[in-house]
Amino acid sequence: MGLKWWQKVTVYQIYPRSFKDSNGDGIGDLQGIISKLDYLQELGIGAIWLSPVYQSPMDDNGYDISDYEAISELFGDMQDMDELIREAKKRGIAIIMDLVVNHTSDEHPWFIEARSNPESSKRDYYIWRDQPNELESIFSGSAWEYDEEAKQYYLHFFSRKQPDLNWENTNLRKEIYQMMNRWVDKGIAGFRMDVIDMIGKEPDHYIVNNGPKLHEYIQEMHREVLEGRDVMTVGETWGASIEDGIKYSDSARQELSMVFQFEQVGLQHEPGKSKWYYIKDVDVPAMKEIFKKWQTQLKNGWNSLFWNNHDLPRILSIWGNTKEYREKSAKALAILLHLMKGTPYVYQGEELGMINYPFQSLDQIEDIESLNFAKEALSEGKTMEWVMDAIRLIGRDNARTPMQWDDGPMGGFTEAPKAWLPVHPNYRSVNVKAALENRLSIFYTYQKLIQLRKEQDWLVYADFELLDTEEKVIAYRRNTIDASYLIVMNWSDNLSSFTLPIDDVDEVISNTDVEQVIQTKTLRPWDAFCVKLKS
Ligand code: GLC
Ligand code: CA
């Protein structure tokens, strides 16, 4: 396989509600994004993954779509969208749209017609049964909702306002491919595919992810939309094993460019339990094994590399240090991740070291998943304290507080006195303006990593070799025929011992004094670096 453009770029995820408000209503929008493209160009990213901006009743902040080809008036209109595509392109930035086709909104015309008329051709676009089974919604409660109008139950794996689409229906699939083609024709560069591993579901057999027809559908989508067009695609696949990862991303199979696999995220909570049963201490040895597996066994597939997204807690709050080592741990985690094989993703604010929000009560929470969880947990007798602890650490609103642009009112996010979610109180010191003014800020570590990705081909090609180290130290080598690079990180607030294999090295990037590490054979807390080994 020749080198693809998306193997040499870093992707930046924008959650539009929270990025930049241009019209003073407290909600981010497309003109806000356009006004910050120069900033993103300076960071150096090659693509934006734009979380949904489509028309939506916003039950799940736009992941409930009522028109795939209209823009929500909260965010602007189609002219703004075209302007964003154009202005981004001028700066060498491609736009990747979020594709949410496992479900629509219940306000989508298809569903309105389907529920009101059993004879309609749209009825079968959704999944109806006379009796519910035991399937549960990912957002708590039964996955089935009785519809008075339809006199049947419909399936919804997310909120009640997100009915699941029936991918068995050929016409539905055709309509989706046509819609995707029109978006590609508009000039977008690809899709991030929301919960794509669920489209092959077989609800009667309790098969939710990885259904028997899943890959057949994706290959059909490839033929109907992606083939011959130079787009990148990334599937969101929560349960993907390495074998699944190969199926999706092996180029010969003609499916997707890559998937988001979540094995490392699984280490955040107790095995077999819901994500709200979190584990505070990172299991570094387990993490090493997961990295090793995905870095070495994907064969002709391709990885995505990420710590954060709009569904996950801020990485520093769960696995970094938000206190005395906030900056250093942020740089360390970035260095560790970005020098692996795969396409790196940066979630807005990650490049500033943004952290979880200290939510005090449920009134401050907007996220439907957290609110449903709270309701259910409280009704089962859990205390409010337990619920708030879980939401503070794991809840999705942590990633969704407004981007912090400067130290002015509302962190420069909006001119309104109030934003849709509160601005993190640390905005006075943690913001874009301060980061740009300080050559040692986290921002510049990201900028350099993004630059390296563009310039250094070994990041794409070199083999990955995990080294045997002390428990809290992760070290790997990337080897090509004529060069070898060593990447090391101390995932801890304490000293760890580490001996470099040779003293004669060229520093590529670091958050520490590499000379001192060589001399003392000691890593200080959160030390991280990459060196080229000279031999
Ligand atoms: C994906 C999205 C999440 C959304 C869900 C339903 O997991 O990332 O934000 O709530 O799908 O669309
Ligand atoms: Ca706005």
Side-chain angles (χ1 to χ4, degrees), residues 362-508:
L362 285 182
D363 317 337
Q364 292 172 305
I365 302 298
E366 294 285 341
D367 169 30
I368 182 156
E369 182 189 40
S370 299
L371 292 172
N372 286 358
F373 151 72
K375 200 150 75 186
E376 190 173 84
L378 293 170
S379 79
E380 285 167 0
K382 293 277 197 292
T383 64
M384 185 58 98
E385 210 180 307
W386 185 84
V387 166
M388 284 313 298
D389 274 345
I391 289 179
R392 260 192 297 275
L393 197 68
I394 298 293
R396 304 195 298 179
D397 282 341
N398 286 298
R400 301 177 180 183
T401 64
M403 179 75 176
Q404 296 162 207
W405 294 102
D406 57 41
D407 59 1
M410 304 307 288
F413 165 70
T414 177
E415 270 160 24
K418 198 167 176 270
W420 77 279
L421 271 186
V423 177
H424 197 289
N426 72 9
Y427 77 91
R428 284 180 196 282
S429 55
V430 179
N431 62 62
V432 167
K433 184 161 168 277
L436 292 174
E437 283 165 3
N438 172 9
R439 292 307 303 179
L440 296 176
S441 69
I442 301 164
F443 174 91
Y444 290 108
T445 297
Y446 274 90
Q447 186 190 54
K448 183 155 183 189
L449 288 166
I450 292 167
Q451 189 67 22
L452 286 170
R453 168 84 28 197
K454 284 192 260 195
E455 286 170 359
Q456 311 236 346
D457 279 355
W458 64 269
L459 283 167
V460 178
Y461 293 115
D463 286 339
F464 175 99
E465 179 194 352
L466 184 76
L467 303 183
D468 210 5
T469 47
E470 229 183 76
E471 184 184 332
K472 300 285 184 186
V473 176
I474 300 192
Y476 60 90
R477 278 171 80 148
R478 300 287 311 272
N479 304 314
T480 66
I481 302 170
D482 38 42
S484 182
Y485 298 83
L486 172 70
I487 295 94
V488 180
M489 171 193 169
N490 180 16
W491 200 317
S492 134
D493 293 340
N494 304 309
L495 301 175
S496 295
S497 64
F498 184 81
T499 309
L500 257 68
I502 48 174
D503 296 354
D504 201 8
V505 299
D506 277 336
E507 182 173 323
V508 178

Side-chain angles (χ1 to χ4, degrees), residues 5-6 9-14 33 37 40-41 44-51 81 83-98 183-184 186-192 230-233 343 345 454:
W5 65 270
W6 39 263
V9 300
T10 300
V11 183
Y12 188 90
Q13 186 192 350
I14 291 185
I33 298 172
L37 286 171
L40 296 176
Q41 188 179 19
I45 54 128
I48 291 170
W49 151 23
L50 191 63
S51 276
M81 188 65 223
E83 187 181 337
L84 173 62
I85 295 171
R86 218 170 39 239
E87 289 299 318
K89 196 175 240 159
K90 273 191 209 160
R91 294 166 177 83
I93 298 173
I95 302 287
I96 309 297
M97 294 297 273
D98 216 309
W183 272 104
V184 179
K186 255 174 150 344
I188 65 155
F191 300 99
R192 174 268 183 186
D230 194 14
V231 292
M232 74 158 258
T233 49
T343 299
Y345 289 74
K454 284 192 260 195

Side-chain angles (χ1 to χ4, degrees), residues 13 15 49 51-52 60-64 98-103 138-139 157-159 162 192-196 198 236 238 262 309-312 367-369 396 400:
Q13 186 192 350
Y15 197 67
W49 151 23
S51 276
D60 186 19
N61 289 355
Y63 282 91
D64 49 318
D98 216 309
L99 181 79
V100 188
V101 291
N102 174 67
H103 46 268
I138 293 162
F139 288 171
F157 276 115
F158 294 91
S159 93
Q162 294 168 296
R192 174 268 183 186
M193 301 184 179
D194 195 63
V195 290
I196 200 69
M198 291 170 64
E236 184 200 25
W238 276 86
F262 290 84
N309 68 31
H310 65 293
D311 295 328
L312 299 174
D367 169 30
I368 182 156
E369 182 189 40
R396 304 195 298 179
R400 301 177 180 183

Side-chain angles (χ1 to χ4, degrees), residues 241-450:
S241 65
I242 187 80
E243 291 76 24
D244 299 323
I246 292 170
K247 284 190 191 156
Y248 288 111
S249 71
D250 182 330
S251 51
R253 288 177 49 90
Q254 310 258 303
E255 295 195 12
L256 305 178
S257 314
M258 67 192 103
V259 291
F260 292 127
Q261 61 83 16
F262 290 84
E263 243 187 284
Q264 73 280 7
V265 175
L267 299 177
Q268 292 179 355
H269 58 79
E270 290 178 33
K273 288 216 177 170
S274 89
K275 68 180 201 174
W276 304 104
Y277 293 79
Y278 54 83
I279 296 173
K280 266 211 135 160
D281 288 323
V282 58
D283 183 342
V284 181
M287 185 76 69
K288 289 187 216 182
E289 287 312 308
I290 291 171
F291 283 145
K292 180 175 164 186
K293 178 165 60 174
W294 285 89
Q295 287 288 307
T296 59
Q297 295 180 25
L298 208 44
K299 303 200 175 117
N300 293 321
W302 186 249
N303 272 301
S304 67
L305 308 169
F306 68 99
W307 288 129
N308 290 282
N309 68 31
H310 65 293
D311 295 328
L312 299 174
R314 290 282 179 182
I315 189 67
L316 298 184
S317 297
I318 185 124
W319 284 334
N321 181 314
T322 56
K323 306 260 156 52
E324 66 273 43
Y325 298 115
R326 187 185 62 86
E327 301 213 12
K328 198 161 178 200
S329 64
K331 293 175 188 172
L333 288 164
I335 291 169
L336 178 72
L337 190 74
H338 281 237
L339 301 178
M340 291 191 211
K341 194 183 243 191
T343 299
Y345 289 74
V346 178
Y347 178 69
Q348 63 185 44
E350 179 180 338
E351 77 279 21
L352 308 175
M354 281 179 64
I355 62 174
N356 279 5
Y357 187 89
F359 294 107
Q360 287 311 309
S361 73
L362 285 182
D363 317 337
Q364 292 172 305
I365 302 298
E366 294 285 341
D367 169 30
I368 182 156
E369 182 189 40
S370 299
L371 292 172
N372 286 358
F373 151 72
K375 200 150 75 186
E376 190 173 84
L378 293 170
S379 79
E380 285 167 0
K382 293 277 197 292
T383 64
M384 185 58 98
E385 210 180 307
W386 185 84
V387 166
M388 284 313 298
D389 274 345
I391 289 179
R392 260 192 297 275
L393 197 68
I394 298 293
R396 304 195 298 179
D397 282 341
N398 286 298
R400 301 177 180 183
T401 64
M403 179 75 176
Q404 296 162 207
W405 294 102
D406 57 41
D407 59 1
M410 304 307 288
F413 165 70
T414 177
E415 270 160 24
K418 198 167 176 270
W420 77 279
L421 271 186
V423 177
H424 197 289
N426 72 9
Y427 77 91
R428 284 180 196 282
S429 55
V430 179
N431 62 62
V432 167
K433 184 161 168 277
L436 292 174
E437 283 165 3
N438 172 9
R439 292 307 303 179
L440 296 176
S441 69
I442 301 164
F443 174 91
Y444 290 108
T445 297
Y446 274 90
Q447 186 190 54
K448 183 155 183 189
L449 288 166
I450 292 167

Side-chain angles (χ1 to χ4, degrees), residues 71-174:
I71 301 296
S72 161
E73 68 273 2
L74 274 185
F75 299 133
D77 58 24
M78 199 49 95
Q79 267 178 331
D80 298 315
M81 188 65 223
D82 289 332
E83 187 181 337
L84 173 62
I85 295 171
R86 218 170 39 239
E87 289 299 318
K89 196 175 240 159
K90 273 191 209 160
R91 294 166 177 83
I93 298 173
I95 302 287
I96 309 297
M97 294 297 273
D98 216 309
L99 181 79
V100 188
V101 291
N102 174 67
H103 46 268
T104 65
S105 163
D106 65 341
E107 297 181 31
H108 193 290
W110 293 341
F111 191 75
I112 295 174
E113 196 179 322
R115 71 158 29 138
S116 64
N117 178 5
E119 303 308 319
S120 149
S121 63
K122 303 293 185 275
R123 181 74 157 206
D124 188 50
Y125 279 22
Y126 297 88
I127 298 166
W128 303 93
R129 295 290 182 271
D130 291 328
Q131 287 301 322
N133 64 12
E134 309 276 285
L135 277 175
E136 285 186 13
S137 159
I138 293 162
F139 288 171
S140 308
S142 170
W144 299 96
E145 179 75 9
Y146 185 71
D147 189 79
E148 287 296 344
E149 226 183 314
K151 306 261 178 295
Q152 279 192 307
Y153 291 83
Y154 65 86
L155 182 70
H156 64 92
F157 276 115
F158 294 91
S159 93
R160 255 179 248 142
K161 287 184 66 62
Q162 294 168 296
D164 276 63
L165 285 166
N166 175 21
W167 272 72
E168 305 246 341
N169 185 297
T170 319
N171 280 334
L172 165 77
R173 299 204 303 278
K174 216 184 258 167

